C-alpha cells in the first residue's frame, strides 16, 4: 500500500522569507501524481501544485515550487516570499489511478507565518 | 456552480442517532469521493463513485456507513447508530474523468460531525 510521510508537524517562517516543507512517499508504481494541498483554518482544502511522476521538470506555480526526486521518493514544497495568507495546514498527497482512485494523504504540516 | 457544496456544515448528534450528509459536486464532474478527517490527521479515503456506481470502498467504511449517488449527481453519506469515534470532519471531493484530470480533486468545505 502507498504511504505518504510528512515529518514536520509544524513549521514557521518570517514574512517574505522562503520555507521548504518535506514529504516522502512509498510506492511500487512508476506512473503516479503528487500534490500539495493547502487547508486554511475552517476553510476548504485547495490544490496548490501538482507533479506528474513521468515529468522530470519540477512544477512551479508562482511563488510555489517543488523539488521532485523520483528515485528518492521525495517531494518537497518550497514557498518563496511567504505571505500571511500562506498560513495553513499543508498536505502532501499521492494518486496513481492504478487499481485505486483514492488520494493518499500525509498527516500534514502546520505552517505559521510570522509578520 | 462555484464548487463542491456540502450540507450541513456542522452537525451535533447524540450517540446512537442516525445522521445524513449531502454533497453536491461540481456539475460536470463524474467522480465523487468521501473522506474523513480527524484532528491532526490528513484526510482518509472512505468511498468513491463514478457517476452513480460505487466503485471503491475503504475498510474504514463499516457497515454502519452507507453512501449513495442516485442519478450520478449529488451524493449522501449516512451513518447509522453513531458512536463518539465517528466525530470528525467529513469531506466530499469531485473530479472529472480522465487519468490526468481525474487525479485533481476539488474539495468541499466539509461537514463537521460531533457525537455527544
Amino acid at each position: 500500500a502507498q504511504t505518504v510521510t510528512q515529518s514536520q508537524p509544524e513549521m514557521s517562517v518570517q514574512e517574505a522569507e522562503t520555507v521548504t516543507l518535506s514529504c516522502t512517499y512509498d510506492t511500487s508504481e512508476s506512473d503516479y501524481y503528487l500534490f500539495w494541498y493547502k487547508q486554511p483554518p475552517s476553510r476548504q482544502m485547495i490544490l496548490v501544485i501538482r507533479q506528474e511522476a513521468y515529468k522530470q521538470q519540477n512544477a512551479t506555480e508562482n511563488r510555489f515550487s517543488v523539488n521532485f526526486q523520483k528515485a528518492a521518493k521525495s517531494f518537497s514544497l518550497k514557498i518563496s516570499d511567504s505571505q500571511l495568507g500562506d498560513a495553513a495546514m499543508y498536505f502532501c498527497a499521492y494518486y496513481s489511478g492504478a487499481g485505486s482512485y483514492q488520494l493518499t494523504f500525509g498527516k500534514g504540516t502546520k505552517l505559521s507565518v510570522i509578520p | 456552480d462555484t464548487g463542491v457544496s456540502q450540507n450541513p456544515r456542522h452537525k451535533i448528534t447524540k450517540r446512537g442517532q442516525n445522521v445524513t450528509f449531502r454533497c453536491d459536486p461540481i456539475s460536470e464532474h463524474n467522480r465523487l469521493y468521501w473522506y474523513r478527517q480527524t484532528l491532526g490527521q490528513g484526510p482518509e479515503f472512505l468511498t468513491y463513485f463514478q457517476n452513480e456506481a460505487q466503485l471503491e470502498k475503504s475498510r474504514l467504511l463499516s457497515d454502519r456507513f452507507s453512501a449513495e449517488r442516485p442519478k450520478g449527481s449529488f451524493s449522501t453519506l449516512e451513518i447509522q447508530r453513531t458512536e463518539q469515534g465517528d466525530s470528525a470532519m467529513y469531506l466530499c471531493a469531485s473530479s472529472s474523468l480522465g487519468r490526468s484530470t481525474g487525479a485533481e480533486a476539488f474539495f468541499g468545505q466539509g461537514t463537521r460531525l460531533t457525537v455527544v
Side-chain angles (χ1 to χ4, degrees):
Chain A
Q2 291 81 11
T3 58
V4 177
T5 302
Q6 293 180 250
S7 58
Q8 305 154 316
E10 296 188 27
M11 293 280 286
S12 62
V13 61
Q14 292 283 147
E15 197 175 2
E17 296 296 308
T18 295
V19 65
T20 298
L21 308 184
S22 301
C23 172
T24 58
Y25 59 95
D26 187 25
T27 183
S28 58
E29 301 288 337
S30 59
D31 190 15
Y32 48 87
Y33 299 82
L34 295 165
F35 303 89
W36 280 98
Y37 279 88
K38 171 185 177 183
Q39 188 177 40
S42 301
R43 294 182 63 186
Q44 70 197 92
M45 194 169 306
I46 58 173
L47 179 66
V48 174
I49 197 165
R50 63 180 274 171
Q51 174 79 43
E52 289 88 345
Y54 67 86
K55 290 186 177 179
Q56 293 186 336
Q57 187 173 8
N58 290 324
T60 62
E61 287 288 341
N62 300 313
R63 299 183 294 108
F64 299 87
S65 61
V66 300
N67 183 4
F68 173 50
Q69 301 290 327
K70 191 173 184 179
K73 295 180 181 174
S74 169
F75 182 60
S76 61
L77 174 70
K78 185 172 82 171
I79 306 174
S80 304
D81 185 26
S82 296
Q83 301 175 359
L84 295 178
D86 294 333
M89 285 292 293
Y90 286 83
F91 294 97
C92 178
Y94 167 98
Y95 174 91
S96 74
S100 173
Y101 297 95
Q102 64 177 279
L103 279 165
T104 301
F105 287 87
K107 290 188 175 183
T109 297
K110 183 179 181 181
L111 178 66
S112 301
V113 180
I114 304 164
Chain B
D1 186 5
T2 56
V4 178
S5 176
Q6 291 188 246
N7 288 289
R9 293 288 310 281
H10 303 274
K11 179 70 176 180
I12 300 174
T13 190
K14 291 184 178 179
R15 189 176 52 175
Q17 297 294 304
N18 299 344
V19 293
T20 300
F21 310 140
R22 178 180 169 122
C23 171
D24 288 90
I26 293 172
S27 58
E28 62 267 26
H29 283 179
N30 302 92
R31 294 181 172 177
L32 186 145
Y33 314 80
W34 285 98
Y35 288 83
R36 181 172 68 187
Q37 185 178 22
T38 53
L39 201 61
Q41 301 293 319
E44 295 174 300
F45 172 78
L46 292 178
T47 191
Y48 160 68
F49 289 86
Q50 185 168 307
N51 299 314
E52 67 277 6
Q54 188 175 22
L55 297 185
E56 190 175 354
K57 290 197 292 186
S58 165
R59 284 172 291 178
L60 291 175
L61 208 67
S62 77
D63 56 4
R64 296 186 298 105
F65 287 69
S66 62
E68 293 182 338
R69 192 183 182 196
K71 302 178 183 178
S73 55
F74 71 92
S75 176
T76 58
L77 177 68
E78 180 183 19
I79 309 174
Q80 295 182 326
R81 305 181 303 282
T82 52
E83 302 172 356
Q84 286 190 321
D86 297 332
S87 296
M89 177 76 83
Y90 290 84
L91 298 171
C92 179
S94 68
S95 68
S96 56
L97 282 177
R99 188 155 186 275
S100 178
T101 54
E104 193 166 315
F106 294 79
F107 283 82
Q109 290 187 291
T111 294
R112 181 168 295 284
L113 173 66
T114 303
V115 182
V116 297

